[in-house]
Amino acid sequence: MEIIAKLGSILGLSFIAGINLYATVAVVGICAKYQLVQGLPPEFQVLAHDAVIFVAIFLYLIEFLMDKVPGLDTLWDSIHTLIRPLGGAMLALMQVGEASPAMEVIVFMLGASLASAAHITKAGTRLIINASPEPFSNMILSTGEDVVAVGYSYLSLAYPKITFFLTLACLTVFLLVFPLILRTVRMLFAALFFKMKCYMQKEAAWMASKTVPLTYDLFYDRHKDPDEKLCWTGRAHSIKIPGIPRFSPLQVVITSKAIHFLYRRRFQIREKVLQLQEISYHKTYPGMLLVKWLLRTDNGDWLLQLYQPLSTTLPHDLTPKDEVDANPF
């Protein structure tokens, strides 16, 4: 059980340092200085120095303010992409004391990896939250992170056995949500770069809506009906499309008969087709980078995100073209 307790403290402090390094250092320093927790490693006395505690609290207050402002929190997270993993590795090394060089390297890598996992989760979640138009969710999440950072740091020192199992649970959750975070971050950056491209090239959105990329075009050309004609195409990301993972990148192709959703899975291009006659209603919901596009069918709603400039070129009429020609009035 002593090994579990030791690992619990190492894993817990390294992990929470990836979320808020300065709060973690401040809590460890205060606990060591005022002996709030007994049996701490003697190496933690360095963090109990008044100057270290003062600087940690000062930097924590700066982070506290930066985290409450959308945009500035992302900048702050970017700056700390290396700082937090190194801080987590440092806290892990301080707890092993005198050890062999091989053990020190292992603990360093373990601490840096745990802090990196927590940092990626925090930064990715913030990007997702910042995409929301309302500011309150960002403040609520930031305040929750502050509370968790202080509480988890103390828990890692006072109850390391509990922290051991909590950290393992957190890592399991991270492994489950990491693909979703990765797809979401990729979606947001792709939308940002496309919007910047449209600012520099006014016709970029119109040109993108008329041409299917080569790899997708070859697949689409083999699977379309002979009399199907291209009406519109564009990049998008799934939110709620049957059989397609959430936030997966798509190439949407609207033809005279159907909407083709082309996407990659396990290095292969796949297709989901929605016939235009199945759509009873469609509507877009505006956003700064991404526009939600709702497709209502008798079998349920389909929802996806379009790049904002591309949404302005989206056809309003999704009636099958043969029906339009047969009933012009």
Side-chain angles (χ1 to χ4, degrees), residues 149-204:
V150 174
Y152 207 88
S153 299
Y154 178 78
L155 191 69
S156 300
L157 299 173
Y159 304 99
K161 295 177 184 178
I162 296 176
T163 311
F164 174 78
F165 295 104
L166 281 178
T167 305
L168 291 182
C170 290
L171 288 175
T172 302
V173 173
F174 167 75
L175 292 175
L176 293 175
V177 303
F178 179 71
L180 177 62
I181 292 175
L182 187 63
R183 290 195 298 266
T184 306
V185 171
R186 180 172 61 178
M187 174 186 71
L188 293 172
F189 275 107
L192 176 62
F193 290 144
F194 186 79
K195 191 163 188 176
M196 292 172 61
K197 179 181 178 180
C198 291
Y199 275 127
M200 293 182 290
Q201 187 179 356
K202 299 299 183 182
E203 300 297 322

Side-chain angles (χ1 to χ4, degrees), residues 5-215:
K6 191 72 174 178
L7 282 173
S9 182
I10 292 173
L11 298 179
L13 290 179
S14 298
F15 182 81
I16 203 63
I19 294 178
N20 195 316
L21 174 62
Y22 306 123
T24 304
V25 172
V27 169
V28 174
I30 291 172
C31 288
K33 179 179 177 61
Y34 297 103
Q35 298 182 352
L36 300 179
V37 178
Q38 301 301 319
L40 294 181
E43 287 78 12
F44 278 164
Q45 290 302 315
V46 175
L47 304 181
H49 194 283
D50 290 338
V52 175
I53 295 175
F54 174 80
V55 172
I57 293 176
F58 177 74
L59 291 173
Y60 165 70
L61 292 175
I62 294 177
E63 180 160 332
F64 179 86
L65 297 175
M66 296 284 282
D67 268 358
K68 304 300 181 291
V69 182
L72 289 181
D73 59 345
T74 301
L75 175 62
W76 186 260
D77 286 338
S78 301
I79 294 172
H80 286 76
T81 299
L82 292 177
I83 297 175
R84 287 173 183 156
L86 288 176
M90 178 199 72
L91 289 171
L93 279 176
M94 294 179 72
Q95 296 179 74
V96 298
E98 294 294 332
S100 65
M103 179 58 68
E104 290 181 349
V105 171
I106 292 172
V107 171
F108 179 89
M109 292 189 296
L110 183 62
S113 299
L114 286 168
S116 297
H119 171 74
I120 291 171
T121 303
K122 173 183 177 176
T125 304
R126 283 302 182 85
L127 281 173
I128 298 172
I129 294 297
N130 287 343
S132 173
E134 48 84 22
F136 301 108
S137 55
N138 182 76
M139 295 182 182
I140 294 172
L141 179 63
S142 176
T143 303
E145 288 173 356
D146 295 328
V147 174
V148 169
V150 174
Y152 207 88
S153 299
Y154 178 78
L155 191 69
S156 300
L157 299 173
Y159 304 99
K161 295 177 184 178
I162 296 176
T163 311
F164 174 78
F165 295 104
L166 281 178
T167 305
L168 291 182
C170 290
L171 288 175
T172 302
V173 173
F174 167 75
L175 292 175
L176 293 175
V177 303
F178 179 71
L180 177 62
I181 292 175
L182 187 63
R183 290 195 298 266
T184 306
V185 171
R186 180 172 61 178
M187 174 186 71
L188 293 172
F189 275 107
L192 176 62
F193 290 144
F194 186 79
K195 191 163 188 176
M196 292 172 61
K197 179 181 178 180
C198 291
Y199 275 127
M200 293 182 290
Q201 187 179 356
K202 299 299 183 182
E203 300 297 322
W206 183 85
M207 293 171 60
S209 69
K210 300 298 180 183
T211 307
V212 182
L214 177 61
T215 53

